[in-house]
């Protein structure tokens, strides 16, 4: 009997978090006695179905060495790139020696510290018979407005929320196919904001797996206190 595909985790963490501001990247800020990134990694490192993690960091990163996972045998560090997609691509290249093309890669935001084991299990279960890949997401319940231009303050139209979801992470795809999708977007000059967008550019439709709304990403200073509240529950 042959073993099924393994599950690997990639955390792109080379960004400076410009929207957050401050001298320390948001993934290294303190949160309930640990750093944000330590919370983000813990759920994967402790999970029996995760074979290993690769974290893509800036070459100038001076904070990772002081984290709890800097020397952990299940976590490998690689150099990140200029954009998030570049960091993911570098991590996939680092996985190539240990992972097969049909292994699953779960890409997770380094500043998303509230992922629960239950949501991770739900995503992993969805991959068993999934031909494309899947991502955690939450249906939109608010009324959504489209502005008249990129920075406009006036409404152009109201969008039908019945088909709108908030894309979260992890997002899970086959290593070989994700590598192909990222290379395609890079060659075509297509800017992407998440890995599902890259897969969509190949004409594929990832599965939406409904997750918890408290799986928030630290983007603004007030998000830290909100994440602390969720982690305390």
């Amino acid at each position: 009997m042959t073993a099924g595909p393994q599950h690997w985790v990639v955390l792109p963490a080379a960004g400076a978090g410009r929207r957050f501001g401050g001298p320390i990247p948001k993934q290294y800020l303190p949160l309930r006695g640990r750093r944000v990134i330590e919370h983000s990694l813990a759920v994967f490192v402790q999970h029996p179905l995760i074979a290993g993690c690769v974290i893509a960091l800036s070459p100038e990163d001076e904070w990772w060495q002081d984290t709890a996972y800097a020397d952990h045998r299940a976590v490998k560090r690689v150099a990140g790139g200029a954009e998030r997609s570049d960091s993911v691509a570098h991590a996939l290249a680092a996985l190539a020696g240990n992972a097969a093309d049909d292994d699953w890669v779960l890409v997770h935001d380094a500043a998303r510290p509230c992922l629960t084991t239950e949501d991770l299990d739900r995503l992993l279960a969805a991959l068993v018979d999934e031909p494309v890949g899947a991502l955690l997401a939450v249906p939109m319940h608010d009324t959504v407005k489209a502005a008249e231009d990129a920075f406009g303050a006036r409404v152009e139209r109201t969008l039908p929320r019945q088909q709108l979801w908030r894309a979260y992470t992890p997002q899970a795809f086959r290593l070989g196919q994700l590598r192909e999708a990222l290379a395609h977007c890079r060659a075509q000059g297509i800017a992407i904001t998440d890995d599902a967008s890259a897969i969509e550019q190949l004409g594929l439709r990832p599965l939406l797996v409904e997750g918890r709304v408290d799986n928030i990403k630290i983007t603004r200073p007030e998000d830290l206190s909100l994440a602390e509240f969720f982690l305390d529950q």
Side-chain angles (χ1 to χ4, degrees):
M1 181 184 297
T2 58
Q6 296 191 88
H7 304 85
W8 305 86
V9 172
V10 163
L11 265 73
R18 287 180 290 272
R19 280 181 293 178
F20 193 96
I24 302 175
K26 59 188 179 182
Q27 61 266 29
Y28 292 115
L29 291 172
L31 175 63
R32 289 184 76 248
R34 309 173 78 177
R35 296 176 189 255
V36 168
I37 198 170
E38 292 172 331
H39 287 284
S40 302
L41 268 169
V43 67
F44 300 110
V45 171
Q46 297 165 5
H47 199 285
L49 293 184
I50 301 301
C53 305
V54 178
I55 181 165
L57 301 171
S58 166
E60 289 78 38
D61 188 298
E62 57 185 89
W63 299 275
W64 171 252
Q65 62 188 9
D66 296 322
T67 67
Y69 297 109
D71 298 314
H72 197 283
R73 61 182 178 80
V75 181
K76 179 178 182 179
R77 172 181 179 170
V78 300
E83 302 294 336
R84 181 185 187 279
S85 58
D86 299 324
S87 292
V88 174
H90 290 183
L92 296 182
L95 275 175
N98 298 312
D101 276 359
D102 65 345
D103 280 355
W104 292 107
V105 175
L106 284 67
V107 184
H108 187 59
D109 295 322
R112 200 177 287 272
C114 300
L115 174 66
T116 64
T117 301
E118 291 76 17
D119 263 11
L120 177 56
D121 286 340
R122 188 176 297 113
L123 180 65
L124 293 173
L127 298 177
V128 173
D129 297 312
E130 174 53 38
V132 176
L135 62 147
L136 289 179
V138 174
M140 290 290 295
H141 298 297
D142 298 321
T143 299
V144 182
K145 306 291 186 181
E148 58 188 358
D149 55 58
F151 300 100
R154 293 191 177 276
V155 173
E156 181 181 78
R157 67 187 186 278
T158 300
L159 301 177
R161 65 187 178 191
Q162 291 81 2
Q163 291 181 276
L164 299 178
W165 292 62
R166 299 170 67 95
Y168 284 11
T169 67
Q171 300 187 359
F173 303 102
R174 303 281 186 179
L175 188 154
Q177 194 159 70
L178 181 55
R179 184 173 56 218
E180 175 190 354
L182 293 174
H184 169 78
C185 291
R186 186 164 54 249
Q188 298 296 319
I190 300 171
I192 58 170
T193 55
D194 72 347
D195 302 282
S197 300
I199 295 293
E200 292 162 36
Q201 289 297 323
L202 297 182
L204 301 172
R205 297 189 298 172
L207 178 68
L208 293 164
V209 176
E210 185 169 352
R212 294 171 57 99
V213 72
D214 55 8
N215 181 17
I216 64 168
K217 183 179 180 181
I218 305 296
T219 304
R220 301 180 183 278
E222 58 266 28
D223 294 333
L224 268 177
S225 57
L226 186 57
E228 183 171 3
F229 171 80
F230 288 143
L231 289 170
D232 282 336
Q233 302 309 302

